[in-house]
């Protein structure tokens, strides 16, 4: 079974080298595709030394990940953020579990950082995902090429593309929730304020489910505001 690891980037020079170096032991069974959305900090130059392919696509995670999927040759696609690390046994677990019974899923998550609330936030994310069947990009969504094609790929929206894809894939099957943990950076939570970020993320998700425009939500997310654009 061949895997394609697709990494969307935009000005990730600070993280991309560590991300790609951690993936080097997997290159005998995985291809690594970096899809850049117009970085101005040298991200692409760094990635070209460590990835199998570096391509450019219009800015936006959904567009970038769809572009990577179009170029991928693997049977299973993994969508990885540049500030997230896979567990050591990720591909072995997927060989054993994917399609039994689900053709898609995600990992549990831990957030790096010393603040005690980060562990609580991660636990809440994992519980919420199990209860709702919704996976977030931070949890590293994986999906067979066949199921991804059947779902129509990521919808071309500015935010919540992971939630929208999860809802479509749930019509095929509930997700495979692997307890092995990916490690994602807690930097946004710490920089923006833990409690403010919790409130912001829950507010954005609620408004999305109530029909708010994803482009408006994306502007709020980028500014870190609940209401002010």
């Amino acid at each position: 079974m061949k895997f394609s690891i697709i990494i969307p980037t935009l000005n990730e020079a600070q993280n991309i080298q560590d991300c790609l170096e951690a993936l080097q032991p997997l290159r005998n069974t995985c291809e690594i595709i970096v899809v850049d959305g117009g970085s101005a900090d040298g991200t692409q130059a760094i990635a070209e030394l460590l990835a199998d392919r570096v391509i450019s696509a219009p800015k936006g995670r959904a567009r970038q990940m769809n572009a990577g999927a179009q170029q991928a040759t693997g049977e299973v696609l993994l969508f990885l953020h540049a500030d997230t690390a896979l567990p050591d046994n990720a591909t072995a677990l997927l060989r054993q579990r994917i399609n039994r019974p689900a053709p898609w899923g995600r990992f549990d998550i831990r957030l790096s950082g010393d603040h005690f609330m980060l562990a609580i936030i991660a636990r809440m994310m994992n519980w919420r995902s199990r209860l709702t069947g919704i996976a977030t990009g931070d949890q590293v969504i994986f999906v067979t090429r066949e199921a991804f094609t059947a779902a129509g790929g990521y919808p071309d929206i500015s935010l919540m593309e992971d939630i929208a894809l999860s809802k479509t894939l749930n019509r095929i099957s509930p997700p495979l929730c692997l307890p092995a943990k990916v490690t994602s950076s807690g930097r946004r939570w710490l920089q923006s304020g833990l409690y403010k970020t919790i409130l912001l993320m829950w507010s954005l998700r609620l408004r999305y489910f109530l029909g708010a425009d994803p482009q408006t939500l994306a502007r709020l997310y980028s500014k870190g505001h609940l209401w002010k654009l």
Side-chain angles (χ1 to χ4, degrees), residues 158-195:
S158 302
L159 194 68
M160 305 294 175
E161 74 288 336
D162 46 3
I163 292 175
L165 177 64
S166 294
K167 291 172 67 176
T168 303
L169 288 171
N170 264 300
R171 298 172 192 157
I172 299 172
S173 81
L176 176 61
C177 297
L178 294 179
K181 291 181 173 65
V182 299
T183 301
S184 187
S185 172
R187 60 179 175 168
R188 180 176 179 85
W189 302 87
L190 296 172
Q191 290 171 358
S192 301
L194 283 164
Y195 301 106

Side-chain angles (χ1 to χ4, degrees), residues 61 65 79-81 84 104-111 121-122 124-126 128-130 132-142 154 160-167 175 177 182 184 189 201-202 205 209:
R61 272 186 177 158
M65 291 187 290
F79 297 97
L80 178 69
H81 291 179
T84 302
W104 78 284
R106 54 78 177 163
F107 295 89
D108 273 357
I109 188 172
R110 69 163 58 93
L111 295 172
I121 292 167
M124 291 172 60
M125 291 169 67
N126 296 330
R128 183 190 65 220
S129 182
R130 280 183 169 80
T132 63
I134 298 297
T136 65
D138 288 337
Q139 293 172 303
V140 185
I141 294 173
F142 52 81
Y154 282 96
M160 305 294 175
E161 74 288 336
D162 46 3
I163 292 175
L165 177 64
S166 294
K167 291 172 67 176
C177 297
V182 299
S184 187
W189 302 87
M201 297 308 297
W202 279 98
R205 288 193 179 93
F209 282 116

Side-chain angles (χ1 to χ4, degrees), residues 33-69:
I33 302 173
V34 173
V35 190
D36 193 72
S39 294
D41 66 347
T43 295
Q44 290 191 64
I46 297 169
E48 284 168 357
L49 300 174
L50 296 164
D52 295 296
R53 198 173 310 172
V54 179
I55 63 176
S56 297
K59 183 175 71 172
R61 272 186 177 158
R63 294 175 180 175
Q64 291 171 237
M65 291 187 290
N66 284 336

Side-chain angles (χ1 to χ4, degrees), residues 2-30:
K2 183 177 180 181
F3 301 92
S4 296
I5 301 175
I6 298 164
I7 307 169
T9 57
L10 180 63
N11 296 325
E12 287 285 0
Q14 183 178 354
N15 298 301
I16 192 63
Q17 183 164 340
D18 287 345
C19 174
L20 294 176
E21 285 181 347
L23 296 174
Q24 296 308 297
L26 301 178
R27 291 184 74 177
N28 59 333
T29 56
C30 300

